[in-house]
């Protein structure tokens, strides 16, 4: 009951301005809110009439998000033998949102999980955030330029960068963040990828 009360009112932390900025250009269709937490972005997207699949390993808000109309998945993305457990196989989404969560081995899966034309909107803390508090552990901080580099982490997926920023934000609290919006472009075949790698060598 308490959980439902929490999510049926406006979330305590408003949705990220980066997510709000790109919401109008998200392709129609299912958006995956990865590591959704309390669901501030899931709620925002549902309010804009967007269907959402909200995933988190913490069940706290999932039931209430389901009551609001989201599909939900309780899942630990880091539970596999190599520290990664991607639960969607070959399934693809029209858009994926990740905010304030970083687990580097997931990037190749994230890119492959986008449909052609699908949009990735990613924002999280970056190097330099320690001056503002936590997170300060480098495992949870993007290195300079890293989001741009991660857009090439899957040789079978081509991403077109739409917007990228790295700097200080003031709200909801001061933090150093990196954020990107990128679109998956035409799929590369294994053969294309081999040619590209050969060309680079
Ligand atoms: C800082 S919160 C961000 C929540 C939300 N994305 C937002 O911006 O408000 C990080 C979230 O990542 C989730 N998380 C951390 N490790 C996870 C894992 N291994 N699998 C799934 N979710 C995880 C946590 O449960 C938490 O809800």
């Amino acid at each position: 009951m308490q959980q439902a009360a929490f999510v049926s009112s406006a979330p305590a932390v408003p949705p990220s301005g980066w997510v709000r900025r790109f919401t109008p250009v998200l392709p129609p269709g299912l958006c995956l809110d990865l590591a959704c937490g309390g669901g501030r972005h899931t709620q925002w997207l549902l309010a804009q009439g967007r269907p959402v699949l909200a995933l988190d390993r913490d069940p706290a808000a999932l039931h209430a998000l389901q009551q609001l109309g989201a599909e939900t998945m309780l899942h630990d993305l880091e539970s596999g033998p190599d520290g990664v457990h991607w639960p969607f196989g070959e399934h693809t989404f029209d858009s994926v949102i990740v905010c304030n969560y970083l687990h580097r081995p997931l990037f190749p899966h994230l890119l492959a999980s986008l449909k052609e034309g699908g949009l990735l909107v990613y924002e999280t803390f970056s190097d330099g955030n320690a001056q503002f508090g936590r997170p300060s552990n480098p495992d949870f901080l993007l290195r300079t330029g890293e989001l741009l580099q991660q857009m090439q982490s899957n040789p079978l997926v081509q991403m077109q960068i739409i917007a990228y920023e790295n700097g200080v934000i003031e709200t909801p609290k001061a933090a150093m963040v990196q954020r990107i919006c990128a679109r998956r472009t035409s799929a590369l075949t294994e053969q294309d990828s081999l040619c590209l790698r050969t060309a680079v060598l």
Side-chain angles (χ1 to χ4, degrees):
M1 276 301 173
Q2 221 172 353
Q3 287 170 6
F6 166 66
V7 290
S8 62
S9 57
V13 181
S16 149
W18 194 249
V19 172
R20 279 184 283 142
R21 173 174 165 186
F22 292 103
T23 299
V25 293
L26 293 180
L30 192 63
C31 176
L32 171 63
D33 183 3
L34 200 78
C36 65
R40 61 186 173 132
H41 298 117
T42 294
Q43 290 181 72
W44 161 258
L45 291 166
L46 290 173
Q48 312 305 309
R50 302 280 186 166
V52 186
L53 170 57
L55 178 152
D56 206 283
R57 72 175 172 191
D58 182 351
L62 292 184
H63 177 66
L65 292 174
Q66 207 170 30
Q67 302 293 98
L68 292 177
E71 287 179 47
T72 60
M73 184 182 284
L74 178 63
H75 178 75
D76 186 343
L77 293 158
E78 301 169 27
S79 59
D82 308 331
V84 56
H85 185 188
W86 187 253
F88 302 112
E90 307 269 297
H91 186 83
T92 51
F93 296 92
D94 297 280
S95 57
V96 178
I97 285 178
V98 189
C99 209
N100 296 353
Y101 173 66
L102 177 63
H103 184 54
R104 293 184 164 88
L106 289 170
F107 273 105
H109 298 282
L110 274 175
L111 302 191
S113 76
L114 287 163
K115 291 192 169 138
E116 200 171 320
L119 224 60
L120 174 67
V121 180
Y122 203 123
E123 173 180 46
T124 197
F125 304 97
S126 65
D127 266 349
N129 189 63
Q131 65 187 296
F132 301 110
R134 296 171 70 183
S136 55
N137 179 338
D139 287 348
F140 305 131
L141 299 178
L142 289 160
R143 296 180 287 267
T144 305
E146 184 175 352
L147 272 184
L148 288 170
Q149 291 153 13
Q150 290 288 6
M151 293 306 102
Q152 296 165 8
S153 61
N154 186 328
L156 293 177
V157 178
Q158 262 189 323
M159 299 294 291
Q160 176 195 13
I161 311 301
I162 294 172
Y164 169 80
E165 290 182 358
N166 190 173
V168 175
I169 57 165
E170 297 297 340
T171 56
K173 68 179 188 72
M176 184 74 79
V177 302
Q178 213 171 105
R179 45 203 194 175
I180 203 162
C181 175
R183 188 186 306 282
R184 180 172 182 174
T185 58
S186 56
L188 289 177
T189 62
E190 295 264 6
Q191 187 63 32
D192 291 337
S193 163
L194 191 65
C195 291
L196 281 175
R197 273 186 254 170
T198 311
V200 170
L201 290 175

